[in-house]
Amino acid sequence: MTEPTPDTELLWEEFHQVVNMTSDEIRTWLLTDASGEDALPADPGMGLPELGIRVVDLLRKRKADLTGDDTEVMRKVVEFVEDRADAPEQDDRWRRSLMSVGHDPLKP
């Protein structure tokens, strides 16, 4: 295991600021959302957003165990949430997209 770099430390903090749902909350949300009318009913794993699944996995990791792929996922999530945070159309679809990566905009 290598020591996290200052960039990784900062990204870790940003990631945990934008992801305001627990891994269990995200997992439950992804499974519930996937059971909706647009879901693929054959396999419960099908149709789940890969980025959301990676967020669940990341929340269960220690900072010292991060890989290069993990830091890339954290960067994508931070950018995704920041890009959509002030969207002009803040409707149910907007909230659902944010929740798919662990950010509930209605959560205090």
Side-chain angles (χ1 to χ4, degrees):
M1 284 177 237
T2 60
E3 195 67 27
T5 66
D7 288 342
T8 304
E9 293 275 347
L10 180 61
L11 182 58
W12 176 265
E13 294 300 321
E14 290 175 337
F15 174 77
H16 282 86
Q17 286 176 3
V18 300
V19 175
N20 64 358
M21 297 169 67
T22 67
S23 60
D24 286 338
E25 287 173 326
I26 299 166
R27 184 179 177 283
T28 300
W29 166 253
L30 293 174
L31 291 172
T32 301
D33 196 41
S35 67
E37 60 189 49
D38 294 332
L40 300 171
D43 178 355
M46 293 180 66
L48 297 179
E50 183 180 338
L51 192 55
I53 294 168
R54 292 293 310 272
V55 170
V56 170
D57 292 339
L58 276 169
L59 289 175
R60 295 177 176 166
K61 277 192 168 191
R62 297 177 318 153
K63 190 180 346 180
D65 296 331
L66 294 175
T67 67
D69 287 342
D70 294 335
T71 58
E72 185 58 34
V73 169
M74 289 191 306
R75 188 172 282 98
K76 284 180 185 178
V77 170
V78 169
E79 289 173 2
F80 183 87
V81 172
E82 288 175 349
D83 287 349
R84 285 159 182 77
D86 297 321
E89 285 189 37
Q90 297 182 355
D91 56 10
D92 188 55
R93 199 168 112 202
W94 164 80
R95 181 176 181 229
R96 294 165 75 86
S97 72
L98 288 169
M99 288 178 70
S100 73
V101 297
H103 179 78
D104 184 350
L106 301 182
K107 196 172 188 178

